[in-house]
Amino acid sequence: EAGQVLFKQGEDNRGVFCVSSGLVALRSHHVDGASTLMRLAYPGEIIGYRSFLGKQPHQTEARALLPSRICTVTHRVAAGVVAQNAGAMERLAQRCIREIDRSHQRIISTATCSNKERLAELLRRLMVLHGRRNSEMITMRLPLSRMDLADLIGVQPETMSRLIRRLEKDGVFGIAGRDVEMPLSALS
C-alpha cells in the first residue's frame, strides 16, 4: 500500500526486493529527525542489494509512494543464487555501477545546470512516467511532495516555490498543488 515501509534505515538486510509495479522512495533519515529523498525506484529496479552485498544494515528507508507490487528474494535465497551463479553477481555489480553513475550524473547536473533547468527536467521525466496524454496536453498528479522534489534536485524547500513560479512564468508548466500540466510539444 502507499505509505508502507519495505525496510527501515538501520534494519538488518532480509534480502533484495524487485519493484514489479508502483513507485518506491529511498530516503535517508538524519539524527535531527529530518530526512532526504535520495532517489525513486520504478518497476524493473532492484533495491536493498547494497546492504545485501555489503553485509551491513540498510543505509536508507524504502517506502511505497504509490500502491506497489514487490517481489522479495530472501537473504538466504539471494545468497544461494549469487554463490551458485557468477552471472547473478555480475548483474548485481552492474546495478551498483549504474547507481554510482546516476549519482555522478546528479553531481555534474548540480554543478552545470540551473535549479530551474533541473526541476524542469525532473518534471518532464515524471510526466513521461506518470502523465496522462490528451490531444495537446499531458497532465499528472505528482506522486511526491514539493519537499521531495526539492531533495531530488538539491535545493531548500523554500527555493522550490520560487522555482515553480519561474517555470509557470515561462509558460511551459501549469502547477496547482500536486496537479501539473504541460503541452505535449514540451516533452521533446
Side-chain angles (χ1 to χ4, degrees):
E1 298 298 317
Q4 188 172 345
V5 174
L6 186 58
F7 54 80
K8 294 181 181 178
Q9 183 173 322
E11 192 174 75
D12 286 339
N13 181 280
R14 304 183 323 266
V16 295
F17 306 89
C18 306
V19 180
S20 295
S21 66
L23 180 62
V24 176
L26 295 168
R27 183 179 302 281
S28 179
H29 292 276
H30 313 296
V31 178
D32 66 0
S35 67
T36 303
L37 178 62
M38 303 301 290
R39 75 177 190 91
L40 301 172
Y42 283 94
E45 293 191 48
I46 297 175
I47 56 177
Y49 60 86
R50 281 184 24 207
S51 64
F52 169 76
L53 291 172
K55 299 179 182 171
Q56 60 188 11
H58 291 284
Q59 295 178 21
T60 57
E61 169 194 86
R63 181 182 301 264
L65 290 179
L66 301 173
S68 302
R69 184 180 186 93
I70 308 293
C71 173
T72 302
V73 182
T74 65
H75 193 279
R76 181 181 57 78
V77 171
V81 168
V82 167
Q84 295 174 7
N85 185 337
M89 179 56 113
E90 182 179 338
R91 287 188 295 279
L92 282 176
Q94 289 298 319
R95 287 184 185 270
C96 290
I97 291 167
R98 282 194 300 274
E99 184 71 25
I100 292 167
D101 289 345
R102 188 179 347 201
S103 294
H104 188 213
Q105 289 168 348
R106 199 166 161 188
I107 291 167
I108 290 170
S109 177
T110 300
T112 60
C113 298
S114 72
N115 293 338
K116 185 174 89 168
E117 290 169 325
R118 289 196 321 276
L119 177 58
E121 179 56 31
L122 174 60
L123 289 174
R124 281 186 191 93
R125 280 194 322 247
L126 290 170
M127 281 290 203
V128 167
L129 295 165
H130 301 283
R132 286 184 294 279
R133 298 169 188 228
N134 62 39
S135 60
E136 307 225 352
M137 298 293 283
I138 183 167
T139 62
M140 78 169 164
R141 180 116 176 115
L142 273 173
L144 49 145
S145 69
R146 288 184 181 203
M147 183 173 284
D148 288 342
L149 286 173
D151 284 347
L152 288 175
I153 64 166
V155 298
Q156 295 297 316
E158 47 283 357
T159 302
M160 186 55 58
S161 295
R162 289 191 300 274
L163 292 174
I164 287 172
R165 280 195 303 275
R166 284 190 214 153
L167 285 178
E168 288 180 311
K169 186 178 176 183
D170 290 349
V172 176
F173 294 95
I175 303 169
R178 285 195 175 199
D179 296 320
V180 182
E181 69 176 12
M182 67 184 271
L184 275 172
S185 60
L187 278 179
S188 49

